[in-house]
């Protein structure tokens, strides 16, 4: 990273509504996630808003989600989650998707350099205007190591993709160094929120995308069931979800999360993001 990087100082986050989303004009955002349900769960509203504004969103899923199911084997789990990933992407307006197929839940065991190389390759191949991924500095409440490891790999690939001596084998393929202009970070918490996306107009789209993941939702519901059994708590919504009726519980959770983020900014629903880019406007 350049020593000349200037931090953006935003005393108050910018509230972004659909009417003032910058028009994409065919430019590409590269959304890099660990798991199939990450786009819908974490950033479904913003992705839908970008897509409706003409941005081409390409989503790269790093893992195969082979263990994210209940009662079915790994092969069938991989197949279902890959299918549901594509169904949810269509709902959100994502233009294209691809899978890297790394084993889920063990990215912490993978070579960090090898993972970073795949991120560099994707950046040079797709040539995005912006990157969208997990915030590497937002570790509070983040209990998924895949998210942490991927966040670091993407963040470092942002600048190493520009070097002409990093992975010269890419250039034999016809690729070249590429400089991404901006990075949008999301997560369970954000290190320093710069933008609040008012997602009211696309909230139902996000809920529909979340519900496109029944295989993964079944696993989440089972976790809630196990926790409630340990606590001696009975929940009708959890019981219904554990029986396959997912919408009441996951709609309730989505509404509560979106409302909580939106309330301080007088929005019915919102998502928080952190934008990082070199402030060229200070040099003009």
């Amino acid at each position: 990273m350049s020593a000349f990087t200037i931090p953006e100082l935003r005393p108050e986050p910018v509230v972004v509504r659909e009417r003032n989303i910058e028009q994409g004009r065919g430019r590409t955002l590269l959304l890099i996630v660990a798991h199939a349900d990450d786009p819908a769960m974490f950033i479904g509203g913003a992705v839908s808003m970008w897509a409706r504004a003409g941005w081409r969103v390409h989503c790269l899923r790093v893992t195969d989600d082979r263990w994210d199911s209940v009662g079915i084997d790994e092969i069938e789990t991989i197949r279902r989650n890959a299918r549901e990933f594509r169904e949810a992407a269509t709902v959100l307006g994502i233009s294209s998707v691809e899978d890297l197929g790394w084993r889920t839940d063990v990215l912490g065991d993978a070579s960090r350099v090898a993972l970073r190389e795949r991120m560099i390759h994707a950046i040079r191949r797709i040539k995005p205007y912006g990157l969208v991924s997990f915030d590497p500095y937002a570790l509070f409440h983040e209990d998924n190591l895949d998210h942490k490891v991927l966040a670091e790999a993407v963040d470092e690939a942002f600048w190493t993709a520009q070097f002409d001596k990093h992975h010269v084998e890419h250039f034999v393929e016809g690729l070249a160094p590429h400089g991404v202009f901006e990075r949008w970070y999301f997560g369970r918490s954000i290190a320093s929120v710069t933008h609040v996306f008012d997602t009211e107009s696309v909230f139902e789209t996000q809920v529909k995308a979340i519900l496109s993941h029944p295989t993964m939702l079944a696993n989440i519901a089972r976790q809630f069931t196990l926790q409630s059994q340990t606590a001696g708590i009975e929940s009708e919504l959890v019981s219904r979800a554990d029986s396959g009726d997912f919408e009441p519980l996951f709609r309730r959770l989505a509404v509560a999360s979106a409302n909580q983020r939106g309330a301080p900014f007088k929005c019915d629903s919102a998502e928080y993001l952190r934008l990082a880019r070199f402030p060229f406007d200070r040099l003009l």
Side-chain angles (χ1 to χ4, degrees):
M1 181 174 290
S2 170
F4 297 105
T5 298
I6 304 172
E8 288 193 280
L9 301 177
R10 291 187 178 275
E12 292 293 336
V14 175
V15 177
V16 181
R17 294 183 169 83
E18 189 165 12
R19 63 178 177 273
N20 50 36
I21 284 271
E22 181 181 359
Q23 294 299 302
R25 303 185 184 89
R27 291 174 293 185
T28 297
L29 293 173
L30 175 55
L31 170 59
I32 303 178
V33 298
H35 309 114
D37 61 348
D38 291 340
M41 292 283 195
F42 284 98
I43 197 171
V47 167
S48 295
M49 292 167 71
W50 278 320
R52 286 162 61 152
W55 288 90
R56 181 181 182 275
V57 181
H58 179 83
C59 186
L60 177 66
R61 178 175 67 132
V62 173
T63 79
D64 58 10
D65 294 305
R66 64 175 57 208
W67 294 327
D68 209 334
S69 68
V70 175
I72 57 177
D73 63 29
E74 289 187 19
I75 293 175
E76 181 63 12
T77 300
I78 291 171
R79 188 189 69 79
R80 291 188 190 184
N81 282 329
R83 184 190 70 235
E84 292 163 15
F85 170 52
R86 283 155 175 77
E87 291 172 352
T90 298
V91 171
L92 294 175
I94 292 173
S95 304
S96 53
V97 300
E98 64 177 300
D99 302 300
L100 291 189
W102 292 48
R103 290 170 66 90
T104 194
D105 297 336
V106 292
L107 285 185
D109 294 333
S111 163
R112 304 296 177 96
V113 173
L115 181 60
R116 186 189 67 178
E117 182 274 329
R118 287 292 84 194
M119 302 301 100
I120 294 171
H121 190 277
I123 291 169
R124 290 173 171 173
R125 173 168 49 88
I126 296 167
K127 300 179 177 63
Y129 180 89
L131 287 175
V132 186
S133 196
F134 292 99
D135 190 338
Y137 300 107
L139 301 182
F140 190 60
H141 294 311
E142 181 52 78
D143 58 1
N144 193 310
L145 188 57
D146 283 1
H147 297 176
K148 297 177 184 179
V149 171
L150 180 60
E152 292 177 354
V154 173
D155 202 42
E156 192 173 48
F158 154 74
W159 55 275
T160 51
Q162 301 170 93
F163 288 24
D164 66 358
K165 296 173 187 64
H166 278 67
H167 299 290
V168 296
E169 67 274 16
H170 294 174
F171 308 143
V172 178
E173 301 177 38
L175 303 180
H178 177 73
V180 175
F181 178 56
E182 62 185 27
R183 289 159 287 160
W184 292 93
Y185 293 114
F186 61 87
R188 300 189 200 280
S189 61
I190 305 298
S192 179
V193 177
T194 62
H195 290 71
V196 176
F197 278 62
D198 181 348
T199 59
E200 181 181 4
S201 64
V202 293
F203 182 73
E204 287 302 320
T205 298
Q206 181 177 17
V207 171
K208 182 178 179 181
I210 291 171
L211 295 174
S212 297
H213 292 284
T215 301
M216 302 182 90
L217 295 185
N219 196 23
I220 297 172
R222 179 56 53 87
Q223 294 170 57
F224 290 161
T225 295
L226 293 173
Q227 293 172 43
S228 65
Q229 289 173 349
T230 301
I233 296 171
E234 293 186 4
S235 168
E236 180 184 355
L237 291 181
V238 170
S239 296
R240 289 174 63 179
D242 200 30
S243 298
D245 184 8
F246 302 120
E247 182 168 2
L249 173 62
F250 289 100
R251 176 179 288 278
R252 173 78 65 85
L253 293 173
V255 168
S257 177
N259 288 170
Q260 184 177 22
R261 287 174 171 80
F265 303 95
K266 296 180 172 56
C267 302
D268 288 338
S269 59
E271 292 173 353
Y272 292 171
L273 289 93
R274 177 169 69 89
L275 172 64
R277 63 186 177 196
F278 187 84
F280 285 101
D281 56 311
R282 301 184 193 179
L283 307 180
L284 300 178

